[in-house]
Amino acid sequence: MKIEISKDWCLRMAQHEGDAEIGAGRVAVDPVFDGERIPADVGEEEGPNVAFGRFVNLMRRQRGMSLEQLADDADVDMVDLVEIESDRYHRPELRTAYQLANYFKVSQAGLMQVAGLAAFVSALSEQK
């Protein structure tokens, strides 16, 4: 059995969805359907999130820990850790980045900057 989905069917289903956002806090953008309506900020901060996810994954694996163990030991949400390691568009909570920096014994400001939370880095620096 072969299932064929046409462009017209996809457009009708999208109209039923309305203005709902999908994904990890981002609006899905398809260059074929959306043409030039692609938001300017899509993909701008992809690098920092990839680096942050890889850093957390590497530090966790070096310690021989499961995601569950890291979540318990660092006192962070397990779902947030999964998103950090698997979704390059995921923006972690400020508290999560802070807890992970403390747990891994690295610079809080540095890790927050790598996590894409640069706006909070200056606020953190001013508090010290």
Side-chain angles (χ1 to χ4, degrees):
M1 174 180 194
K2 184 177 179 182
I3 298 175
E4 291 186 31
I5 299 175
S6 68
K7 181 178 176 181
D8 292 329
W9 181 87
C10 290
L11 291 172
R12 283 195 315 271
M13 293 301 110
Q15 288 173 346
H16 289 296
E17 298 272 331
D19 291 333
E21 288 189 14
I22 61 173
R26 296 273 194 168
V27 177
V29 177
D30 184 333
V32 174
F33 290 127
D34 295 331
E36 297 188 20
R37 296 184 314 177
I38 298 173
D41 67 337
V42 170
E44 261 181 24
E45 297 182 9
E46 180 179 313
N49 291 335
V50 171
F52 183 65
R54 287 185 180 167
F55 171 79
V56 172
N57 182 276
L58 178 65
M59 296 297 280
R60 178 178 64 80
R61 288 190 353 226
Q62 280 183 342
R63 289 170 170 74
M65 303 175 79
S66 67
L67 284 165
E68 294 87 2
Q69 289 172 317
L70 179 58
D72 287 341
D73 292 353
D75 190 27
V76 296
D77 186 31
M78 168 73 172
V79 173
D80 207 19
L81 283 179
V82 170
E83 289 291 319
I84 287 168
E85 288 192 10
S86 64
D87 184 0
R88 65 184 182 184
Y89 295 109
H90 179 72
R91 180 82 51 229
E93 295 289 324
L94 180 60
R95 179 189 178 281
T96 301
Y98 178 83
Q99 290 293 104
L100 289 172
N102 287 338
Y103 183 77
F104 293 135
K105 295 178 178 39
V106 296
S107 162
Q108 295 164 354
L111 193 60
M112 286 184 197
Q113 189 169 12
V114 170
L117 301 170
F120 297 106
V121 172
S122 60
L124 182 65
S125 299
E126 291 173 5
Q127 290 178 357
K128 290 184 178 183

